[in-house]
Amino acid sequence: MPKNRVESFADGIFAFAATLLILNIAVDQRQALGPQLLHSWPSFAAYAISFITIGIIGANHHQVMHQLEHVDRFFLMVTVLFLMFIAFIPFPTRLLALDIKGPDAEAAALAYGITLFGTALFFNALWWYAAAGRRLLRADADQRAVDGISRSYVLGPISYGVATLVALRSPVASAGLYAAIALFYLLDSTVFGRRT
Amino acid sequence: MPKNRVESFADGIFAFAATLLILNIAVDQRQALGPQLLHSWPSFAAYAISFITIGIIGANHHQVMHQLEHVDRFFLMVTVLFLMFIAFIPFPTRLLALDIKGPDAEAAALAYGITLFGTALFFNALWWYAAAGRRLLRADADQRAVDGISRSYVLGPISYGVATLVALRSPVASAGLYAAIALFYLLDSTVFGRRT
Amino acid sequence: MPKNRVESFADGIFAFAATLLILNIAVDQRQALGPQLLHSWPSFAAYAISFITIGIIGANHHQVMHQLEHVDRFFLMVTVLFLMFIAFIPFPTRLLALDIKGPDAEAAALAYGITLFGTALFFNALWWYAAAGRRLLRADADQRAVDGISRSYVLGPISYGVATLVALRSPVASAGLYAAIALFYLLDSTVFGRRT
Amino acid sequence: MPKNRVESFADGIFAFAATLLILNIAVDQRQALGPQLLHSWPSFAAYAISFITIGIIGANHHQVMHQLEHVDRFFLMVTVLFLMFIAFIPFPTRLLALDIKGPDAEAAALAYGITLFGTALFFNALWWYAAAGRRLLRADADQRAVDGISRSYVLGPISYGVATLVALRSPVASAGLYAAIALFYLLDSTVFGRRT
């Protein structure tokens, strides 16, 4: 099975899930706009964190697909489950934006963390399935690059898992960790990560 | 007519219809979040069932297009009608999620079943039109693979037809069948279906 | 300028505008579902008419692009204006669905007609700009096919113009004409149009 | 890293952000439709301005990508930040449409201007990063064309910056400037810009 249509389906989901995030931002027409906009910074922050997170996962997914020779049905189905989590992200993003300053902060931070943890888990699943025994890899895929990807991806579920657990003690700290993870990946691939 | 733009239009519809499903999930800001999320499991289940269903139909559509040499206007128009049903799926998914536990369960389960039955019917129509007398097939399309596809696709309208009729007696059982069909196809192409 | 990215931008708009149509269909949770669904047939009809219309315009746009060698900035800008009308279609579709049975039927039918008339006008503009003096055509584009396209496209603004004027006398007749136009194109490219 | 998937992700964002603009247009079912439509001209104008603006930025982004040989991680990450601003445009467009005639006009015009200023800034950032020392350019990219792009892009942040500052004195004048900028680019690439 050729891999180009998996890519175009995945690109559609990445782009669309990222664009739908904007629907989470709304204002109340009956109140003055200026103060509302200043007051809405958690919505803007949540928008930015989730957009950057989806963008980075998309870029990494490009990297994965680039290493593959072909895909099989099993890989395709794990991809569907992985994209199901990606497309889910706008919902907990909305919860985080609206509730991080209120009494529902813990539930919102948990919902966000569990979603991102699941996303990272399925992303690892599709990579490990493809890379194990070089099952779906291109003949010319450099084994050191493959091992480097494997090592760096495994950090995803761990860091989101930790940040999710932190939500049980401090939802705000947990939200800070979600932002920090996105920022780390952004800087890692830019300032530090130019080596690629 | 080249087939690549049919594919990109179809991939767009698959990806957007699947991503739009998330708009069906909403919470009431005036009530506590945690209990609402636990209480909303039918929404999450309906999201997962429809997302997986659309993903599998998308993967099967890839398989169909892969067998074709070219497309003609008739095939294109049947594809438009088929995609019209795909893009409709978010609506009955919302009905199923909201009403399965209430007095409207029967109408919701019927709406879902009729939509999926129509989807399966038009999917079969485009395949049979393409495959009859090998009308649009590639010269090198293996006839045994073609016959295998024909046999397995015909199960779609039958199983959704049965599940829809079940809704007249028990909407909950019917919803369980919708989930079972999605799960069967998922497992069939993964655990059992590795043979491909 | 290569034409492939114009195609992918246009395909995105076609697919997305068609998929967004489903958001026009909604029910009131406080009323019984079954009767509402039966009563909502104008919404379903409007969904089908607009989806098929967008699908056919998309297929015709494929046909246009297929005849082109390359595109220039002017063509690109007319395409943007054309797509601006395509992406607008979900709004008058909603008006038509909700108001065709009430006192706002005339305004709704006019809004729908003007939108489709504008769409057809800009679609003709981009085709005529490309075809005049074979400005952007491929060297091997058959002049008879080009003339055939020119003749058939010019019917678009005329038929939508007439249907829009009919709305001033009878909005329901006008809505029937919008359906008839979509149906005609669908049948023309299938039952009659197999000659292509 | 190949550049084709960056393009398809970007095309997705451009197309969806432009199509989502239509969700900003709504009418109140409890009031007469005709007068509302006539009264809603700021919504239609805002829709057109933002759609054309996104379309032009998309066309220019095509132009940029056309000059590149390849992309690196840093370019990819600046692209994600740039697209984050693109996908944000529907929100201030809605504010502008709803509030330009009311007491919140200044806040709305500022929000629109800041968003477009940020968009233009990040668009320049990705172009300058790619062009500096011909870092990512194709070997055959004409240096004069490259310099021409550099000169014309730098006008983006300046004109949006000025228009944003004007909002502090006259939001309506500022909205007029946003429309004028879109119109200028549209005419520049068509009537004047045929030289390309």
Side-chain angles (χ1 to χ4, degrees):
Chain A
M1 192 174 294
K3 65 183 190 179
N4 65 316
R5 286 195 67 193
V6 188
E7 291 180 325
S8 84
F9 181 69
D11 283 341
I13 300 274
F14 287 127
F16 196 21
T19 318
L20 273 187
L21 291 168
I22 197 61
L23 298 186
N24 286 336
I25 299 179
V27 291
D28 185 340
Q29 280 296 113
R30 291 160 302 184
Q31 293 176 34
L33 180 60
Q36 272 193 87
L37 288 179
L38 297 180
H39 201 69
S40 299
W41 68 263
S43 286
F44 300 133
Y47 171 82
I49 293 169
S50 287
F51 196 99
I52 291 170
T53 301
I54 293 174
I56 289 165
I57 299 175
N60 287 340
H61 186 257
H62 290 197
Q63 198 183 20
V64 164
M65 296 305 290
H66 189 58
Q67 304 288 343
L68 302 194
E69 178 63 39
H70 64 281
V71 300
D72 61 16
R73 292 286 291 193
F74 188 84
F75 183 85
L76 213 58
M77 290 304 138
V78 179
T79 300
V80 167
L81 295 175
F82 161 64
L83 294 172
M84 188 176 83
F85 276 87
I86 292 285
F88 197 78
I89 291 176
F91 174 65
T93 301
R94 182 189 182 85
L95 300 181
L96 201 63
L98 293 177
D99 293 323
I100 193 64
K101 294 196 288 194
D104 287 328
E106 183 184 313
L110 280 175
Y112 193 87
I114 291 168
T115 303
L116 269 293
F117 176 72
T119 310
L121 217 58
F122 276 98
F123 193 33
N124 270 274
L126 66 84
W127 170 248
W128 288 95
Y129 174 75
R134 301 179 65 89
R135 187 184 280 118
L136 304 175
L137 298 187
R138 301 192 326 201
D140 63 346
D142 179 29
Q143 189 60 39
R144 275 191 319 176
V146 168
D147 292 342
I149 293 178
S150 299
R151 267 195 307 276
S152 82
Y153 282 9
V154 94
L155 292 177
I158 294 173
S159 46
Y160 281 114
V162 169
T164 305
L165 291 176
V166 166
L168 295 170
R169 297 306 284 265
S170 162
V172 173
S174 152
L177 281 176
Y178 301 138
I181 296 171
L183 205 67
F184 167 77
Y185 277 117
L186 193 70
L187 292 176
D188 177 53
S189 31
T190 54
V191 180
F192 313 135
R194 293 263 206 98
R195 56 187 180 263
T196 320
Chain B
M1 191 174 297
K3 63 183 191 179
N4 65 317
R5 285 195 68 193
V6 188
E7 290 179 326
S8 83
F9 182 69
D11 284 340
I13 299 277
F14 289 127
F16 310 161
T19 318
L20 272 185
L21 291 168
I22 198 62
L23 298 186
N24 285 336
I25 299 178
V27 291
D28 185 340
Q29 281 296 114
R30 290 160 303 184
Q31 293 177 33
L33 180 60
Q36 272 192 87
L37 289 178
L38 298 180
H39 200 70
S40 298
W41 68 263
S43 287
F44 300 134
Y47 171 82
I49 293 169
S50 287
F51 196 100
I52 291 170
T53 301
I54 293 174
I56 289 165
I57 299 175
N60 287 340
H61 187 257
H62 289 198
Q63 198 183 19
V64 164
M65 296 306 290
H66 189 58
Q67 304 289 343
L68 301 194
E69 178 63 40
H70 63 283
V71 301
D72 60 16
R73 292 286 289 192
F74 188 84
F75 183 86
L76 213 57
M77 291 304 138
V78 180
T79 300
V80 168
L81 295 174
F82 161 64
L83 294 172
M84 188 176 84
F85 276 87
I86 292 285
F88 197 78
I89 291 176
F91 174 64
T93 301
R94 180 189 183 86
L95 300 180
L96 201 63
L98 293 177
D99 294 322
I100 194 63
K101 294 196 288 196
D104 287 328
E106 184 185 313
L110 280 175
Y112 193 87
I114 291 169
T115 303
L116 270 293
F117 176 72
T119 309
L121 217 56
F122 276 98
F123 193 33
N124 271 273
L126 66 83
W127 169 248
W128 287 93
Y129 174 74
R134 301 180 63 90
R135 188 184 279 118
L136 304 175
L137 298 186
R138 302 192 326 199
D140 63 346
D142 178 29
Q143 189 60 38
R144 274 192 320 179
V146 168
D147 292 342
I149 294 177
S150 299
R151 267 194 307 276
S152 81
Y153 283 9
V154 96
L155 292 177
I158 294 173
S159 46
Y160 281 114
V162 168
T164 305
L165 291 177
V166 166
L168 295 170
R169 297 306 285 266
S170 163
V172 172
S174 153
L177 281 176
Y178 300 138
I181 295 170
L183 204 67
F184 167 77
Y185 277 118
L186 193 70
L187 292 177
D188 177 52
S189 31
T190 52
V191 180
F192 314 134
R194 294 265 205 96
R195 55 185 181 264
T196 320
Chain C
M1 191 174 297
K3 64 183 192 180
N4 65 316
R5 285 194 68 193
V6 188
E7 291 180 325
S8 84
F9 182 69
D11 283 341
I13 300 274
F14 287 126
F16 196 20
T19 317
L20 273 187
L21 291 168
I22 198 61
L23 298 187
N24 286 336
I25 299 179
V27 291
D28 185 340
Q29 281 296 114
R30 291 161 303 186
Q31 293 175 33
L33 180 60
Q36 272 192 89
L37 289 179
L38 298 180
H39 201 68
S40 298
W41 67 264
S43 287
F44 300 133
Y47 170 82
I49 294 169
S50 287
F51 196 100
I52 291 170
T53 301
I54 292 175
I56 290 165
I57 299 174
N60 287 340
H61 187 258
H62 291 197
Q63 198 183 21
V64 165
M65 297 305 290
H66 189 59
Q67 303 289 343
L68 301 194
E69 178 63 40
H70 63 283
V71 301
D72 61 15
R73 291 287 289 193
F74 188 85
F75 183 86
L76 214 57
M77 290 304 138
V78 180
T79 300
V80 167
L81 295 175
F82 161 64
L83 294 173
M84 187 175 84
F85 276 85
I86 293 285
F88 197 79
I89 291 176
F91 174 64
T93 301
R94 181 188 182 86
L95 300 180
L96 201 64
L98 293 177
D99 294 322
I100 193 63
K101 294 196 287 195
D104 287 328
E106 185 185 313
L110 281 175
Y112 193 87
I114 291 169
T115 303
L116 270 293
F117 176 72
T119 309
L121 217 57
F122 276 98
F123 192 34
N124 271 272
L126 66 84
W127 170 247
W128 288 94
Y129 174 75
R134 301 180 64 90
R135 188 184 279 117
L136 305 175
L137 298 187
R138 303 193 323 204
D140 63 345
D142 179 30
Q143 189 60 38
R144 275 192 319 177
V146 168
D147 293 342
I149 293 178
S150 300
R151 267 195 307 276
S152 82
Y153 282 10
V154 95
L155 291 177
I158 294 173
S159 46
Y160 281 114
V162 168
T164 305
L165 291 176
V166 166
L168 296 170
R169 297 305 284 266
S170 164
V172 172
S174 154
L177 281 175
Y178 302 138
I181 296 171
L183 205 66
F184 167 77
Y185 278 117
L186 192 70
L187 292 176
D188 178 52
S189 31
T190 52
V191 180
F192 313 135
R194 294 262 206 99
R195 54 186 180 263
T196 321
Chain D
M1 193 174 296
K3 64 184 190 178
N4 65 317
R5 285 194 68 191
V6 188
E7 291 180 326
S8 84
F9 182 69
D11 283 340
I13 299 276
F14 287 127
F16 309 159
T19 318
L20 272 186
L21 292 168
I22 198 61
L23 298 187
N24 285 336
I25 299 179
V27 291
D28 185 339
Q29 281 295 113
R30 290 159 304 184
Q31 293 176 33
L33 179 60
Q36 272 193 87
L37 289 179
L38 298 179
H39 201 68
S40 299
W41 68 263
S43 286
F44 300 132
Y47 171 82
I49 294 170
S50 287
F51 196 100
I52 292 169
T53 301
I54 292 174
I56 290 166
I57 299 175
N60 287 340
H61 186 257
H62 290 197
Q63 199 182 19
V64 164
M65 295 306 290
H66 190 58
Q67 304 288 344
L68 302 194
E69 179 63 40
H70 63 281
V71 300
D72 61 15
R73 291 287 289 193
F74 188 83
F75 183 86
L76 212 60
M77 290 304 139
V78 180
T79 300
V80 168
L81 294 175
F82 161 64
L83 293 172
M84 188 175 84
F85 275 86
I86 292 286
F88 197 79
I89 291 176
F91 174 64
T93 301
R94 181 188 182 85
L95 300 180
L96 202 64
L98 292 176
D99 294 323
I100 192 65
K101 294 196 288 194
D104 287 328
E106 184 184 313
L110 280 175
Y112 193 88
I114 290 169
T115 303
L116 269 294
F117 176 73
T119 310
L121 217 58
F122 275 98
F123 193 34
N124 270 273
L126 66 84
W127 170 248
W128 288 95
Y129 174 74
R134 301 179 65 88
R135 187 183 280 118
L136 304 175
L137 298 187
R138 301 190 328 200
D140 63 346
D142 179 30
Q143 189 61 39
R144 274 192 320 176
V146 168
D147 292 343
I149 293 177
S150 299
R151 268 195 306 277
S152 82
Y153 283 10
V154 94
L155 292 176
I158 294 173
S159 47
Y160 281 114
V162 168
T164 305
L165 291 176
V166 166
L168 296 170
R169 296 306 285 266
S170 164
V172 171
S174 154
L177 281 176
Y178 301 137
I181 295 171
L183 205 65
F184 168 77
Y185 278 116
L186 192 69
L187 292 177
D188 178 53
S189 31
T190 53
V191 180
F192 312 137
R194 294 262 207 97
R195 57 187 178 262
T196 321

